[in-house]
Amino acid sequence: QVQLVESGGGLVQAGGSLKLSCEAAGRTFTNDAMAWFRQAPGEERKFVAISATAGATGYADSVQGRFTISRDDAKNTVYLHMNSLKPEDTAVYYCAAKPRIVGGKFEYDYWGQGTQVTVAS
């Protein structure tokens, strides 16, 4: 059974930093993209960052320059380094792996259970 397990969430003051981790178990994702999404209360889940194959990365405009995604394939883990956090970054953060195109949209085969990040003003 494949599992993605996020950790590292918590409460932080505005301007602070957090590092999220997502460890995969049950299979490796060396040849697959892994990504982070977030969902704030009352909002849809939104893309945050992606670590594709060959070292390529991408970010949502709202986090560009503040967040960094990285991965350690030897540990089957992807990270999200979050700096200069703002109250609007408050959300449940989800890890996802192995995207594919379905009906013209990206769908991910695997999702974690989420970890709460709360940024106090």
Side-chain angles (χ1 to χ4, degrees):
Q1 183 179 359
V2 178
Q3 284 188 312
L4 301 179
V5 180
E6 301 99 334
S7 61
L11 174 64
V12 64
Q13 293 293 317
S17 299
L18 278 176
K19 176 183 173 182
L20 305 183
S21 300
C22 171
E23 184 175 2
R27 62 159 286 170
T28 60
F29 293 99
T30 305
N31 298 317
D32 298 300
M34 297 184 76
W36 287 95
F37 288 76
R38 66 186 182 187
Q39 186 169 19
E43 297 185 11
E44 294 184 350
R45 189 161 53 189
K46 297 179 181 177
F47 167 78
V48 174
I50 187 169
S51 172
T53 55
T57 59
Y59 299 91
D61 289 345
S62 58
V63 307
Q64 181 76 49
R66 299 188 297 122
F67 290 11
T68 302
I69 189 170
S70 64
R71 63 195 292 171
D72 184 340
D73 288 332
K75 295 182 178 180
N76 221 17
T77 300
V78 64
Y79 304 97
L80 186 66
H81 307 258
M82 306 186 295
N83 298 317
S84 302
L85 282 161
K86 305 175 182 180
E88 50 264 43
D89 294 318
T90 295
V92 178
Y93 283 70
Y94 297 90
C95 172
K98 201 174 187 306
R100 54 193 175 93
I101 297 176
V102 178
K105 295 182 179 181
F106 277 108
E107 299 284 349
Y108 285 76
D109 282 351
Y110 303 101
W111 290 89
Q113 82 290 348
T115 185
Q116 177 70 45
V117 171
T118 302
V119 184
S121 58

